Structures are given as structure tokens and as C-alpha cells.
Amino acid sequence: MQIRKAVFPVAGLGTRFLPATKASAKEILPVVDKPLVQYAVKEAIAAGAEEMVFITSHTKNSIMDHFDRDYELESVLEADGKQELLTAVKDVLPDGINCVYIRQAEQKGLGHAIRCALPAVGDQDFTVILADDLIANGFQPVTAQMHRVYQGYGTSVVAVQRVPESETHKYGIVQAREIEPGVSEIEKIVEKPDPSEAPSNLAVVGRYILSPRIFRLLDKTGFGAGGEIQLTDAIHTLMSEQTVLAYEFEGVRYDCGSKLGYLQANVEMGLHHPEIGDEFRNYLKDFASNLD
């Protein structure tokens, strides 16, 4: 049961990063030396995906450009003997990986964006990765961790993590019954509940493995929290038909949809970077020592 297709909803306007995102997609913002969307694609490939389905808008041509071949640049790097850089450029999209781009004409929420993927996904189970949620430093990439759960139980899986109770209004929140350490059956899921009404502090983050049945349920899902078609609401309906699991992943999540989370990702990923990590660590120590 290998999942071959991964869906990336990347049509958002990125208003929290204006003016940086005025002419370029927020998913192209770099963390150290790779754009957010490249981390997401590499994670999908590591889990076995072969077709990347991008749900885009008219402002997201930079994503298509990034994953396109640049033969002129490759020729220059090869002629200059810059083999390491040439390898890095070619590795943006390895051989055998295909990209599909589908335009989301209107911004109607995450659920609507996922529904747009139907022509490319069809009747197959599929992965959804939100590039804003950069997750790193687990024992393996988080989507690969989720695939192990999916292969064991053969049903839909969503990634979850504990959040402060005061922040439940920012997430889909689940109430779940533990099956084994880290794996639970979802009994209830609510989109952005007030902390006083949240069933727990177990929050859904940007990774999903979903049955194609979700598409038909999204067709019947009306506008929910925030006046948008919420994927959470369709998952709630899906739970009446099949088991949906919550997986508490191993790794560190950076909310790169926020400026603070994005800066944290750059600092911490920079510290682990094989080329500059040690030098950057020494710089931060010197900088911190002068703060007082």
C-alpha cells in the first residue's frame, strides 16, 4: 500500500509576509538555502510519492519555475566545474518525479483546495503536506513516519501535536482514544474551538493521509469556521464511515506561516546545516554574549 501522490495546497496569498510575498510565493521563502516548498517535496519523495500535485493560484508561478529544469544554469555550472552546485540544482526535482499544477480559481479554504486535487488524484489514497509547517529532526521524515502507521492500519491518518490550551483556537483539535503509543483513534474533531470548549489540546498540523472518499464528502461540506470550506469538517464526516487515526509524530515543527516561527526555523536549521552550522553557532554565542 504505497501512496504515490502528494498534494500541496499553495494557493494562499501569504499576506503575513508582505511585502516579501508581493511578487513571489510564500512557499518559495528560503529556510537557510532551500525554499519551504522544496523541504515539503523532499519529504513526500522520502515517503515514496512520485507525483506532486500543487494547488496553485495566479500568483504562484515562482513555484513552477523552481521545479522546472534550468538548462542554461546547469550548463554554466558544469562549464565552471561547480559540480556540487550542479548536483544541488538537479536535486531540486529528482528524475522520475512528476509535477502537476491545478489552479484554485477562488480562495475558499483548505477543504476547497484539497477538492481541487481530484482530477489528479482520482480514486487513490493520497498525502497532503502544508509547506508552512516545516517539520524536521525526527528519526525519519514525518510523512514517512505516518506511512508506517497507514501501512499498519490501512486507514486515514492525520498528524497531531500537543499545543498550549490557550492556542486551541488556532487549530483543528481532536479527542482521541489511544491504540498504541503515539497512535490514537479520533473520536471527535473540531475546527478552531475556543479554549473553554476544546475537547483536548491535541492539535492537527499540516500532514494528512486521506482516502479519496474525502473528495465526495467535501462536495457536501458547507462553509464553516472563518467562512471557509474546512477540511476538518469533511474529516468529521469521514469518521462516521471509517476509522481516522491521529499520529503524534517525532520531530520539531516550525510554524513558518508566522514570522516568529519562520525565524526560529532559520536559526535552528542553520545550526544543523553541515556547511555553516559550526560557524553559525559560534556567531550566535558571540552575539548572545553582547546582548546584555
Side-chain angles (χ1 to χ4, degrees), residues 6 8 31 33-50 52 54 66-67 87-94 97 99 127 129 131 134-135 140-144 207 269:
F8 304 87
V31 173
D33 54 3
K34 297 183 188 70
L36 283 166
V37 71
Q38 187 174 336
Y39 286 99
V41 165
K42 288 179 73 67
E43 181 182 316
I45 293 171
E50 298 172 347
M52 312 295 143
F54 297 92
H66 180 72
F67 289 108
T87 299
V89 168
K90 287 185 174 181
D91 190 52
V92 167
L93 192 70
I97 304 300
C99 293
T127 300
I129 298 179
L134 176 58
I135 302 175
Q140 64 180 163
V142 64
T143 299
R207 302 293 187 277
M269 297 290 281

Side-chain angles (χ1 to χ4, degrees), residues 5 9 20 57 73 134 176:
K5 301 195 178 190
S57 68
L73 174 59
L134 176 58

Side-chain angles (χ1 to χ4, degrees), residues 21-165:
T21 52
K22 180 176 180 290
S24 181
K26 64 177 179 178
E27 294 83 7
I28 292 295
L29 291 172
V31 173
V32 187
D33 54 3
K34 297 183 188 70
L36 283 166
V37 71
Q38 187 174 336
Y39 286 99
V41 165
K42 288 179 73 67
E43 181 182 316
I45 293 171
E50 298 172 347
E51 184 165 288
M52 312 295 143
V53 182
F54 297 92
I55 309 304
T56 71
S57 68
H58 69 283
T59 63
K60 299 304 178 92
N61 290 337
S62 55
I63 293 176
M64 286 188 283
D65 292 342
H66 180 72
F67 289 108
D68 199 2
R69 290 287 296 273
D70 189 332
Y71 293 100
E72 182 179 357
L73 174 59
E74 291 177 17
S75 296
V76 169
L77 293 173
E78 186 170 13
D80 290 346
K82 297 180 179 179
Q83 189 60 45
E84 187 173 341
L85 289 176
L86 177 62
T87 299
V89 168
K90 287 185 174 181
D91 190 52
V92 167
L93 192 70
D95 292 339
I97 304 300
N98 298 316
C99 293
V100 175
Y101 300 93
I102 297 175
R103 188 70 66 86
Q104 184 184 14
E106 298 179 77
Q107 303 289 303
K108 295 182 180 180
L110 178 59
H112 180 257
I114 300 304
R115 175 60 180 80
C116 291
L118 173 59
V121 173
D123 61 356
Q124 301 180 41
D125 291 352
F126 64 103
T127 300
V128 176
I129 298 179
L130 306 189
D132 282 359
D133 278 331
L134 176 58
I135 302 175
N137 301 326
F139 68 92
Q140 64 180 163
V142 64
T143 299
Q145 295 178 43
M146 294 173 67
H147 276 220
R148 292 172 65 245
V149 176
Y150 165 80
Q151 289 165 351
Y153 291 90
T155 194
S156 297
V157 185
V158 301
V160 295
Q161 72 171 170
R162 302 284 175 182
V163 299
E165 292 182 1

